[in-house]
Amino acid sequence: MNDSSLPLRRDVKLLGKMLGEILVNHGGEELFEKVEKIRLMCKTLRTQFDQEIYNALKDEIAGLSSPMRKQVIRAFSMYFHLINAAEQNHRIRRRRQYRLQDDNIVQPASIESAILKLKENEINDEIIQNALNTLSLELVITAHPTEATKRSILDIQQRIAALLKQLDHPLLSNREQKKLEESLFNEVAILWQTDELREHKPTVLDEVRNGLYYFDQTLFEVLPEIHQEVAECLEKYYSNTSWEVPNFLRFGSWIGGDRDGNPNVTHEVTWETLERQRRLVLKKYKNVLVDLMKRYSHSTKRVKVSDELLTFLREKEDLFLTEEKKWPIKTEAYRRVFALIIERIRQVGKSDLGYQAADEFLADLFMINNSLKQHHPAAHELEIIQKLIRQVQLFGFHLATLDIRNHSGEHEAAITEILRKVRITENYATLSEEEKVKILQNILMDPRPLLLLNEDYSAETQEMIKVFQMIKAAHEEFGKRSISVYLVSMTKSPSDLLEVLVLAKEAGIYRLHADGALESHLHVAPLLETIDDLSAGPAIMETLFKMPVYRNHLQIMGNHQEIMLGYSDGSKDGGTLTANWKLYKAQIEIHDMAKRYQIGLKFFHGRGGSLGRGGGPLNKSILSQPAETIGDGVKITEQGEVLSSRYLLEDIAYRSLEQATSTLLLAAANVSNEAERGHLRKQVWEEAIEEISSFALTKYQLLVFGDPDFLTYFNEATPLKELGDLNIGSRPMSRKNRGRFEDLRAIPWVFAWTQSRQLLPAWYAAGTGLDSYAAKSEQNFQLLQQMYEKWPFFQSTIDNLHMALMKADITTAKEYLLLVEDKTIAERIFANILEEYEKTKAILLKITGDKELLDHTPNIKDSVYRRNPYVDPLNFLQVDLIKELRKQDGANEELLTEVLLTISGISAGLRNTG
């Protein structure tokens, strides 16, 4: 047993006991005993499979009546919500224990550990400062529907974790402990009595509110603290250097801006999103300013404030404040200034008295800070105002940069209609790529507008025009950082980006003046998603970089190009191993090509929360990128259950972000250091993974596209049909609702496989790829071991495969064959999956040298083992319920509710959906 997990086991036992008491109180001894009996059977089967116990378990589950069955499902689901809260608290506990230890013991993957390592490796201050200057990590929250847990449940988890944290206090009296345990019991009782399913699908603005919750609760405080920690650690280990720590860590958002396949995201919704973001950040500033006003009671009878501050009061106090709103004590100069600033913050967006831009607010804060430095002891800083300055630099008046995304086909349809109206071409969509590019370039080089304002366009084209007009208005109202990137989904050719520039031109965001001067205020970024698009990506971008019209746009944008890489569709298209290699390879090729054109890049990694969509620990995701691209800047999506697991609690948010910062800092410093550049990777490794990928792709596509019965198996052997009734997102499950594989979104594709415990998208075909390569020679196998030891990309790939196989469960997955009508299809395809699972497991263990999966990460392994006996009954129940529901063509509302409860419970248990 891992001794460090003893406090966690104690917490889980305490919470489990409380849940047991609540079960007895709610459903009597019968409910409690039924849950215990099923739990013990599953636990025994996990220790050693016994056919007799297995049959008895199946009979026990089949014999449950509807009211009792529903309560049993809820009992196991609630247990996972409690475990999740306990594990969250345990992460906080472990971090705190490190901080309480001797100063010589530094927590691994902390900011201090990174800077200490740089010091030990004799990386000089100039290299580190250069690395800091290029460092850029932007995390973008999205509303992709993968969080099955309701906000109310997450709030309760948060309160439970806080109470567990308080119970750890070493100086608690018996009375205080009893009181905390009583509060904890009450929260568990409330959890049991809270409905875990949403009544309705959330609207886009509901999703906006949920996203803003993380900024309000944790991110507004944590982001400046991460920057401060970097500064303090640098000063500790490199005390002779004056450090400048730029704002390298930011958060952006897609929520309210991502209209790809979501007709509910209109231009009005996006505008309301920006309004809500501004309201929140202004509220946060006002709260800090009121606190500063209380604290900064300095009197000009005691200190000398700056002449600049006194001049500011003379010139502006009467201008912005009525007598009633002025601070009444003339000698308390700082409070007088804060009264003025607070009033101007209140008036932002409401009247001319408000700040017109965040830079004006920032200038006033710097003025106060400079004045404070004149009389405050030099060796000590007033941290609150320093933190506020950093917050304004990070969040401005817009809070988070909102990306706009839409499908390339939508832009093409709008351009086709617009060009037909002005008689440039009858059917633009049918033209060759060369013809399209020629027309688009001519339009971009012509200062005259294209739109016929009085002409009637279709509703879709009108909405497209209004979106770009809204972006123009947002730049004027909220600042250009409010919307800075427009993402083009399914980019397949250069014209896909030029079309967006043409639409931007018609709104005045891109503007060619009569004298030849050019304005451009919107980055246009391709989203490369499928295997084919990733391969074509370098050629698409080089064609654009060669175009004078596009190069002129880039020059205005600082010769900077953002490129988004989609992990979901590539994985769905070609399997996880091939997709990850193609993504890695595309980055190298595009980076090298852009360097020739002296174009700076930022890669935007569209990772999902689940392993089948590029998920995994944030720091490992960063480390697995090609080393030379780290200096370009890193941008990553954060979505669904990842948001709550990383950013619900302030301590865990801090830990997640410091791990990412630590990794990024080390990688950037090593790349900046000429001596380290030769150790990025070896050509022989690239040749090996290319061959492995080829084997894996063939195997994957042979099943997914080559087997005519595969789609039938997927539709029937997973709860795909039932997922649409789980109200977790505003966006439809498929793009066109035609039931075709290519129209199915990657999220339900992964979600459905996860529920059935097959997790096929996260590992399938990797075993064939690795084993086929290793079987060729002993030298090949030894090379794989070397790649695992020395190449972060390969190590991350192998570790994620370990995790996927550990979370998959073939014994449980076999239960889902009962849902497939044609038993021959079920058994044949499952035999293929089982064979590949065993092959993958065997080669992974050989490469890592482990005896069992996840031996190298015991904490995660313990967590999976702890959860499995409680997930199993939910899977067994789900299969029985879906079978009965489908017999009734989904018409039984009560059965459907029970199915959805199992889906929610399994999601909480595995901590992965899509």
Side-chain angles (χ1 to χ4, degrees):
M1 185 186 290
N2 185 355
D3 286 343
S4 68
S5 70
L6 287 174
L8 172 60
R9 291 171 187 272
R10 179 200 67 210
D11 288 348
V12 169
K13 188 176 179 181
L14 174 65
L15 292 168
K17 184 182 174 186
M18 289 177 175
L19 180 60
E21 189 178 334
I22 288 161
L23 293 182
V24 172
N25 181 69
H26 182 82
E29 289 289 341
E30 185 188 4
L31 173 60
F32 176 75
E33 287 171 5
K34 193 69 73 177
V35 170
E36 273 298 286
K37 187 176 182 181
I38 292 171
R39 182 183 75 84
L40 290 171
M41 281 180 171
C42 288
K43 200 170 182 180
T44 303
L45 286 171
R46 280 283 168 182
T47 308
Q48 187 173 354
F49 185 81
D50 183 295
Q51 189 65 47
E52 195 174 318
I53 294 173
Y54 172 78
N55 292 338
L57 172 65
K58 294 283 289 182
D59 290 342
E60 190 71 37
I61 286 172
L64 290 171
S65 63
S66 180
M68 175 64 75
R69 185 173 58 208
K70 188 173 183 179
Q71 300 312 319
V72 169
I73 293 168
R74 295 193 69 236
F76 283 104
S77 299
M78 289 301 145
Y79 181 74
F80 290 127
H81 294 308
L82 296 175
I83 281 186
N84 291 343
E87 288 187 349
Q88 292 272 53
N89 180 61
H90 189 58
R91 286 184 64 193
I92 295 168
R93 179 190 288 129
R94 281 164 52 205
R95 178 171 174 259
R96 198 162 60 245
Q97 285 169 346
Y98 268 105
R99 298 210 156 196
L100 289 170
Q101 287 175 1
D102 188 283
D103 283 349
N104 294 324
I105 301 173
V106 176
Q107 186 174 14
S110 64
I111 290 167
E112 184 171 5
S113 74
I115 291 169
L116 178 58
K117 191 171 182 179
L118 293 175
K119 182 75 172 177
E120 289 171 347
N121 291 348
E122 298 181 349
I123 306 294
N124 67 45
D125 51 4
E126 187 180 350
I127 289 170
I128 296 172
Q129 187 64 64
N130 287 340
L132 282 171
N133 293 343
T134 61
L135 211 61
S136 174
L137 175 59
E138 187 176 353
L139 301 168
V140 180
I141 65 171
T142 81
H144 285 2
T146 65
E147 173 63 272
T149 309
K150 272 173 63 180
R151 167 64 54 213
S152 304
I153 303 289
L154 292 174
D155 285 342
I156 297 167
Q157 280 185 18
Q158 189 179 32
R159 296 197 296 270
I160 288 172
L163 288 165
L164 289 172
K165 182 179 177 180
Q166 290 177 60
L167 278 169
D168 276 341
H169 198 290
L171 299 178
L172 278 180
S173 66
N174 288 338
R175 184 173 178 277
E176 287 169 329
Q177 181 170 336
K178 190 175 179 183
K179 199 171 180 182
L180 284 171
E181 287 179 355
E182 186 64 22
S183 296
L184 192 61
F185 180 88
N186 291 338
E187 291 296 347
V188 178
I190 293 167
L191 179 68
W192 176 258
Q193 294 169 16
T194 298
D195 193 350
E196 55 268 67
L197 296 179
R198 296 177 177 90
E199 286 286 324
H200 308 286
K201 275 186 177 291
T203 66
V204 179
L205 291 175
D206 288 335
E207 292 170 335
V208 170
R209 188 179 68 250
N210 289 340
L212 290 178
Y213 179 87
Y214 297 103
F215 287 93
D216 194 14
Q217 293 293 308
T218 59
L219 298 177
F220 187 76
E221 298 297 327
V222 168
L223 259 64
E225 288 169 5
I226 291 287
H227 290 84
Q228 184 60 28
E229 175 93 351
V230 172
E232 287 172 3
C233 290
L234 285 168
E235 285 161 13
K236 178 177 177 179
Y237 292 103
Y238 292 84
S239 56
N240 295 326
T241 304
S242 178
W243 292 100
E244 181 64 38
V245 178
N247 298 304
F248 61 85
L249 176 60
R250 296 179 188 274
F251 269 74
S253 178
W254 274 12
I255 309 176
D258 181 14
R259 51 215 349 102
D260 179 15
N262 192 344
N264 304 308
V265 183
T266 62
H267 70 280
E268 294 103 333
V269 164
T270 304
W271 187 265
E272 176 60 23
T273 300
L274 293 167
E275 290 272 18
R276 290 188 181 198
Q277 289 188 178
R278 181 167 69 180
R279 282 201 295 271
L280 175 60
V281 79
L282 292 176
K283 183 190 85 172
K284 302 297 280 187
Y285 291 149
K286 194 186 82 171
N287 291 344
V288 179
L289 289 165
V290 168
D291 181 49
L292 284 169
M293 192 180 195
K294 291 175 184 175
R295 290 170 182 270
Y296 289 8
S297 55
H298 310 71
S299 170
T300 51
K301 293 177 182 178
R302 299 282 180 267
V303 298
K304 186 180 186 319
V305 300
S306 71
D307 292 339
E308 183 189 13
L309 189 136
L310 293 172
T311 302
F312 173 89
L313 284 170
R314 275 197 308 272
E315 292 178 353
K316 297 189 177 180
E317 197 171 25
D318 290 333
L319 192 62
F320 290 101
L321 296 177
T322 61
E323 285 301 318
E324 297 78 38
K325 290 182 177 179
K326 288 179 185 177
W327 186 256
I329 304 167
K330 291 289 185 184
T331 55
E332 293 179 353
Y334 291 118
R335 285 179 164 175
R336 289 169 62 193
V337 173
F338 281 124
L340 191 156
I341 291 174
I342 290 168
E343 181 58 23
R344 295 201 71 189
I345 285 291
R346 284 195 181 111
Q347 295 299 326
V348 170
K350 297 176 183 176
S351 79
D352 291 340
L353 293 175
Y355 289 108
Q356 299 306 301
D359 285 346
E360 293 179 36
F361 176 34
L362 199 55
D364 288 351
L365 294 177
F366 274 119
M367 175 195 68
I368 295 169
N369 197 44
N370 291 336
S371 179
L372 287 164
K373 285 178 182 177
Q374 291 188 184
H375 53 77
H376 193 73
H380 302 271
E381 287 188 351
L382 288 161
E383 290 183 0
I384 299 175
I385 192 161
Q386 294 279 9
K387 184 176 178 179
L388 178 58
I389 286 169
R390 180 78 73 172
Q391 284 165 328
V392 178
Q393 290 170 334
L394 289 166
F395 300 109
F397 286 163
H398 62 286
L399 186 67
T401 297
L402 189 66
D403 287 347
I404 306 295
R405 180 173 77 134
N406 209 342
H407 195 282
S408 58
E410 300 291 323
H411 308 128
E412 183 182 76
I415 291 290
T416 298
E417 184 176 357
I418 290 167
L419 295 185
R420 185 186 303 123
K421 298 284 186 183
V422 292
R423 299 176 186 172
I424 288 179
T425 179
E426 186 59 28
N427 196 344
Y428 166 84
T430 62
L431 299 178
S432 68
E433 175 64 12
E434 291 74 17
E435 290 172 310
K436 286 180 180 177
V437 167
K438 186 177 179 182
I439 288 172
L440 296 171
Q441 286 188 96
N442 287 338
I443 293 168
L444 290 169
M445 290 187 290
D446 189 337
R448 293 173 297 179
L450 196 63
L451 291 178
L452 301 174
L453 296 177
N454 298 323
E455 193 70 37
D456 289 328
Y457 293 106
S458 66
E460 292 79 9
T461 298
Q462 284 185 49
E463 174 60 23
M464 182 68 72
I465 293 165
K466 286 174 184 175
V467 166
F468 283 87
Q469 290 170 341
M470 179 274 303
I471 295 171
K472 171 72 171 172
H475 285 176
E476 293 165 357
E477 179 69 21
F478 306 100
K480 290 187 173 62
R481 273 175 56 199
S482 62
I483 298 174
S484 64
V485 180
Y486 194 107
L487 291 150
V488 185
S489 294
M490 288 294 170
T491 296
K492 297 185 178 299
S493 57
S495 62
D496 292 331
L497 270 63
L498 295 178
E499 286 162 8
V500 173
L501 276 185
V502 166
L503 291 165
K505 172 180 177 282
E506 295 311 305
I509 306 165
Y510 174 102
R511 188 176 175 195
L512 181 65
H513 293 272
D515 62 1
L518 182 66
E519 283 184 61
S520 195
H521 303 292
L522 188 66
H523 290 280
V524 183
L527 171 44
L528 306 173
E529 301 178 76
T530 67
I531 296 293
D532 288 344
D533 294 344
L534 288 167
S535 299
I540 292 170
M541 296 316 301
E542 184 161 24
T543 301
L544 286 163
F545 291 166
K546 285 179 177 177
M547 281 182 204
V549 69
Y550 195 80
R551 280 307 299 269
N552 290 340
H553 153 72
L554 281 183
Q555 193 171 2
I556 300 293
M557 305 303 291
N559 282 320
H560 183 84
Q561 174 70 54
E562 186 168 304
I563 294 172
M564 186 171 185
L565 304 167
Y567 286 67
S568 306
D569 284 283
S571 181
K572 178 170 158 262
D573 193 35
T576 185
L577 192 145
T578 299
N580 276 282
W581 169 238
K582 293 291 185 185
L583 285 155
Y584 189 94
K585 191 177 174 185
Q587 288 177 73
I588 297 168
E589 291 175 358
I590 294 171
H591 172 88
D592 291 345
M593 181 270 295
K595 198 172 178 182
R596 294 197 301 272
Y597 290 89
Q598 297 181 306
I599 302 294
L601 294 176
K602 177 183 275 190
F603 284 109
F604 183 3
H605 303 274
R607 291 177 176 272
S610 62
L611 297 167
R613 297 184 55 242
L618 181 56
N619 55 328
K620 289 193 174 182
S621 298
I622 292 167
L623 201 59
S624 66
Q625 308 313 321
E628 63 266 47
T629 67
I630 295 291
D632 295 338
V634 178
K635 191 172 173 181
I636 301 177
T637 49
E638 295 277 63
Q639 61 191 258
E641 70 278 0
V642 169
L643 291 174
S644 58
S645 67
R646 286 182 187 158
Y647 307 117
L648 186 66
L649 302 176
E650 192 168 317
D651 287 298
I652 290 178
Y654 189 96
R655 179 62 180 150
S656 297
L657 294 174
E658 84 158 345
Q659 286 178 320
T661 299
S662 166
T663 302
L664 195 61
L665 187 60
L666 282 172
N670 285 337
V671 173
S672 296
N673 183 10
E674 293 290 339
E676 291 287 334
R677 286 184 182 236
H679 305 292
L680 305 182
R681 63 185 165 270
K682 294 182 179 178
Q683 187 177 341
V684 66
W685 298 348
E686 293 185 38
E687 290 167 356
I689 195 70
E690 185 71 49
E691 192 173 339
I692 292 164
S693 169
S694 178
F695 287 131
L697 180 63
T698 301
K699 173 71 175 175
Y700 180 87
Q701 294 191 332
L702 202 60
L703 174 65
V704 176
F705 299 108
D707 191 316
D709 299 318
F710 175 75
L711 206 52
T712 299
Y713 176 86
F714 169 59
N715 282 320
E716 295 182 10
T718 72
L720 178 72
K721 295 175 185 175
E722 293 71 29
L723 290 180
D725 292 303
L726 194 67
N727 294 318
I728 61 175
S730 67
R731 197 169 73 164
M733 270 178 53
S734 65
R735 284 188 168 91
K736 296 174 184 174
N737 291 317
R738 289 197 299 227
R740 301 188 312 166
F741 180 79
E742 53 266 45
D743 292 327
L744 178 71
R745 292 190 178 281
I747 288 169
W749 161 253
V750 172
F751 201 156
W753 286 115
T754 303
Q755 285 284 310
S756 69
R757 304 299 294 280
Q758 296 175 71
L759 272 78
L760 183 139
W763 60 268
Y764 186 82
T768 289
L770 293 163
D771 191 65
S772 299
Y773 180 80
K776 283 190 166 185
S777 70
E778 179 62 23
Q779 185 182 357
N780 277 10
F781 173 66
Q782 289 172 358
L783 187 66
L784 292 179
Q785 289 184 311
Q786 182 192 88
M787 289 160 66
Y788 179 72
E789 184 184 346
K790 297 184 176 179
W791 191 12
F793 162 74
F794 193 70
Q795 186 182 87
S796 175
T797 301
I798 297 298
D799 286 350
N800 282 343
L801 288 168
H802 264 264
M803 175 84 77
L805 292 191
M806 189 74 184
K807 287 195 172 187
D809 190 275
I810 293 300
T811 305
T812 305
K814 194 172 182 180
E815 295 293 318
Y816 286 79
L817 302 192
L818 297 169
L819 300 175
V820 183
E821 290 183 17
D822 189 323
K823 301 306 171 192
T824 308
I825 290 174
E827 287 169 15
R828 179 175 59 77
I829 292 180
F830 185 75
N832 179 321
I833 292 170
L834 176 60
E835 181 189 7
E836 184 64 16
Y837 179 91
E838 296 297 345
K839 183 182 288 185
T840 308
K841 182 178 177 181
I843 189 65
L844 289 180
L845 292 175
K846 280 179 72 177
I847 290 169
T848 60
D850 291 331
K851 289 184 180 178
E852 292 182 20
L853 294 167
L854 291 183
D855 272 353
H856 54 285
T857 51
N859 288 328
I860 297 174
K861 183 179 174 182
D862 284 352
S863 177
V864 175
Y865 274 136
R866 190 161 42 246
R867 290 160 183 272
N868 273 336
Y870 299 86
V871 182
D872 293 344
L874 291 173
N875 283 117
F876 292 138
L877 282 158
Q878 187 178 88
V879 170
D880 283 1
L881 289 163
I882 289 176
K883 193 173 182 183
E884 186 60 33
L885 182 67
R886 289 180 184 174
K887 274 184 194 173
Q888 300 181 32
D889 290 325
N892 189 318
E893 282 294 322
E894 187 58 34
L895 273 178
L896 177 60
T897 298
E898 290 182 42
V899 170
L900 297 179
L901 284 169
T902 65
I903 291 172
S904 178
I906 292 166
S907 297
L910 297 179
R911 302 210 77 174
N912 272 121
T913 49

